[in-house]
């Protein structure tokens, strides 16, 4: 597969939407670049007594609509350019769902799979010691991302509160429930994806109780499998893949039993009553809805012409290459792009921030209702923009988002 620089890709996407919006030169230049970038070194004491010096980053792409918002990754392959790209995509994601936040992303170049729990905690706390003056409920609110989780957020929040001598649970989102996390946040990404599928089915006359397939059976894929049936009143899950293989049953796979099997055995393969299939073929099955929930570039020029789904809902970030996106559009496949399809996560983080600010926590059903209203409205804004201009839903989503951010920059008198 062709290698590419994701920041260059992100800038190219913005340039093409800027042309459609007739953005002026100064606004485009402002949005092409992060507003602030932090690079720092993190000396971390390892279990063997040695000190490792890791490199840390935080990119704050845009603050025009609110504090920066986005994950922190611990990953050996992170570069400043991947974080710049993802910070920008977070700005568009928060704008698409119209929550009052900007975009950010950060990370530490390290390999958590080779680190102990104590070393991970030391790294998380060192990250906050380096950055604490530049984050906070009104500046920048990080969240978990690749190889970080609610426990990482708990350590980071504790370090921040210790340094500032204040109770500030809202400084991080997606925290454990007992430390100011929200009921419903854990499920918000998958729930948001199914809500936009529900709207797409209604709009295009697709039977929501038809067949569906899921690529990737991690935290998002497992929840999707269940919510699809719960929220849409049915649906036959015919195929699921993970990194070790794929299973198929044309009569349906029970989502709950497959989750138990995966938790017990570590893989979807060997699920009773199913037959193994080539994991690549999962993208080519005749289904009402296909959920790519694993990898980047899964749908590409090599397989896009064989995709037979009516709706592709991109829970993963970047699962469809730009050429494949055009091929699917021309074939009439309705692609719900990642910045809309998986924005339930950040919409849920916003609800958690609101609860933290007011120190008042709602019932899960209230959280779910608010998430539903936010995602439903966002889907129809993007659909409206894509129809008005006869463009893909991806371009429609960028048109909506970039216009909102550009307007905020202009009203502030920045451009
Ligand atoms: P996860 O690590 O829990 O799960 C990833 C799954 O993908 C695993 O089941 C893994 O086995 C599977 N996988 C890996 N390689 C595969 C392959 N070649 N074929 C099929 N499956 C493969 O991650 P997650 O949190 O479920 O995230 C999945 C995707 O959703 C990622 O792209 C992530 O960026 C995106 N996303 C997640 C969230 C969230 O809140 N978790 C929010 C926004 C976007």
């Amino acid at each position: 597969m062709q290698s590419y620089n994701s920041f260059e890709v992100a800038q190219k996407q913005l340039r093409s939407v800027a042309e459609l919006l007739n953005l002026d030169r100064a606004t485009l230049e402002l949005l092409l670049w992060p507003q602030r970038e932090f690079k720092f070194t993190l000396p971390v004491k390892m279990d063997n007594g040695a000190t490792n010096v890791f490199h840390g980053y935080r990119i704050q792409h845009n603050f025009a609509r609110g504090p920066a918002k986005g994950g922190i990754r611990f990953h050996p392959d992170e570069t400043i350019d991947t974080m710049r790209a993802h910070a920008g995509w977070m700005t568009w994601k928060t704008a698409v769902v119209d929550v009052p936040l900007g975009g950010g992303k950060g990370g530490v170049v390290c390999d958590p799979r080779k680190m102990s729990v104590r070393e991970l905690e030391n790294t998380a706390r060192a990250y906050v010691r380096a950055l604490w003056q530049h984050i906070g409920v009104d500046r920048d609110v990080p969240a978990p991302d690749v190889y970080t989780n609610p426990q990482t957020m708990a350590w980071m929040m504790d370090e921040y509160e210790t340094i500032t001598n204040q109770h500030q649970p809202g400084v991080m989102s997606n925290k454990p429930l007992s430390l100011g996390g929200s009921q419903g946040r854990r499920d918000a990404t998958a729930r948001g994806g199914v809500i936009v599928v529900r709207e797409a089915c209604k709009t295009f006359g697709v039977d929501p109780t038809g067949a569906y397939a899921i690529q990737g059976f991690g935290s998002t894929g497992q929840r999707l499998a269940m919510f699809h049936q719960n929220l849409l009143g049915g649906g036959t899950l015919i195929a699921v893949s993970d990194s070790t293989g794929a299973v198929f049953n044309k009569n349906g796979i029970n989502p709950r039993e497959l989750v138990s099997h995966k938790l017990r055995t570590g893989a979807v393969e060997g699920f009773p009553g199913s037959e193994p299939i080539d994991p690549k073929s999962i993208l080519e099955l005749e289904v009402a809805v296909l959920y790519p929930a694993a990898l980047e570039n899964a749908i590409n020029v090599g397989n896009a012409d064989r995709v037979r789904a009516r709706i592709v809902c991109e829970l993963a970030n970047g699962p469809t290459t730009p050429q494949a996106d055009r091929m699917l559009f021309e074939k009439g496949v309705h692609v719900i792009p990642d910045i809309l399809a998986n924005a339930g996560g950040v919409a849920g983080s916003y609800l958690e921030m609101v609860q933290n600010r007011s120190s008042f926590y709602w019932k899960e059903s209230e959280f779910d209702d608010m998430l539903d209203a936010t995602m439903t409205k966002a889907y129809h804004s993007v659909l409206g923009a894509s129809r008005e201009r006869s463009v893909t839903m991806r371009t429609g989503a960028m048109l909506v988002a970039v216009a909102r951010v550009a307007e905020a920059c202009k009203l502030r008198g920045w451009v």
Side-chain angles (χ1 to χ4, degrees), residues 95-96 381-382 385 395-405:
V96 143
S381 308
V382 170
T395 304
M398 282 292 283
L399 285 169
V400 169
V402 175
R404 285 180 180 157
V405 179

Side-chain angles (χ1 to χ4, degrees), residues 189 215-221 241-243 262 293-295 315-317 342:
T189 305
Q215 183 194 44
F217 209 55
S219 66
T220 305
S241 68
D242 64 12
S243 58
K262 166 99 186 175
L295 300 173
L315 266 292
N317 283 314
N342 67 37

Side-chain angles (χ1 to χ4, degrees), residues 73 86 93 144-147 174 185-186 188-190 214-223 241-245 262 266 268 279 282 292-296 314-319 338 342-346:
R73 313 177 148 193
H86 282 278
K93 212 179 271 194
D145 206 277
V146 180
Y147 294 143
N174 209 344
R185 170 62 190 89
R186 204 185 54 155
T189 305
I214 301 175
Q215 183 194 44
F217 209 55
S219 66
T220 305
Q222 292 175 23
R223 292 187 172 91
S241 68
D242 64 12
S243 58
T244 61
K262 166 99 186 175
V268 294
I282 201 155
L295 300 173
E296 292 177 359
E314 296 184 343
L315 266 292
N317 283 314
D338 47 8
N342 67 37
V346 76

Side-chain angles (χ1 to χ4, degrees), residues 386-399:
S386 77
R387 282 181 161 169
E388 199 183 309
R389 303 261 194 160
S390 302
V391 292
T392 62
M393 286 286 281
R394 191 177 318 280
T395 304
M398 282 292 283
L399 285 169

Side-chain angles (χ1 to χ4, degrees), residues 194-363:
V194 177
I195 290 165
V196 291
V197 162
R198 180 192 68 204
E199 295 307 305
C201 286
K202 274 192 229 161
T203 306
F204 294 96
V206 176
D207 178 7
T209 64
Y212 66 107
I214 301 175
Q215 183 194 44
F217 209 55
S219 66
T220 305
Q222 292 175 23
R223 292 187 172 91
L224 269 179
M226 293 189 276
F227 292 153
H228 183 99
Q229 296 186 352
N230 297 347
L231 289 174
L232 303 185
T236 309
L237 177 62
I238 62 166
V240 176
S241 68
D242 64 12
S243 58
T244 61
V247 289
F248 174 81
N249 183 342
K250 72 174 183 341
N251 299 318
I253 292 167
N254 182 307
R256 201 166 287 280
E257 287 172 15
L258 184 62
V259 170
S260 309
H261 174 82
K262 166 99 186 175
L263 294 178
R264 207 171 46 248
T265 66
V268 294
E269 262 192 338
F271 180 65
S274 70
E275 54 180 283
I277 53 164
D278 175 358
K280 291 196 195 98
S281 69
I282 201 155
L283 302 167
E284 300 166 15
L285 296 170
E286 192 164 353
V287 286
V289 185
L290 172 66
Y291 292 102
L295 300 173
E296 292 177 359
N297 305 327
I299 304 177
N300 50 56
V301 279
N303 59 11
D305 58 335
R306 294 195 296 278
V307 170
R308 288 184 294 159
R310 296 280 312 276
I311 295 170
V312 172
C313 181
E314 296 184 343
L315 266 292
N317 283 314
T320 310
T321 64
Q323 295 106 307
D325 196 41
R326 270 194 300 281
M327 289 164 75
L328 296 182
F329 182 63
E330 280 156 19
K331 271 170 65 133
V333 178
H334 183 64
V335 178
I336 309 177
D338 47 8
I339 64 167
L340 170 63
N342 67 37
V346 76
S349 285
Y350 165 67
L351 296 176
E352 180 178 334
M353 289 169 67
V354 172
Q355 293 178 333
N356 292 153
R357 258 185 203 280
S358 58
S359 238
F360 180 71
Y361 293 83
W362 316 315
K363 284 191 293 208

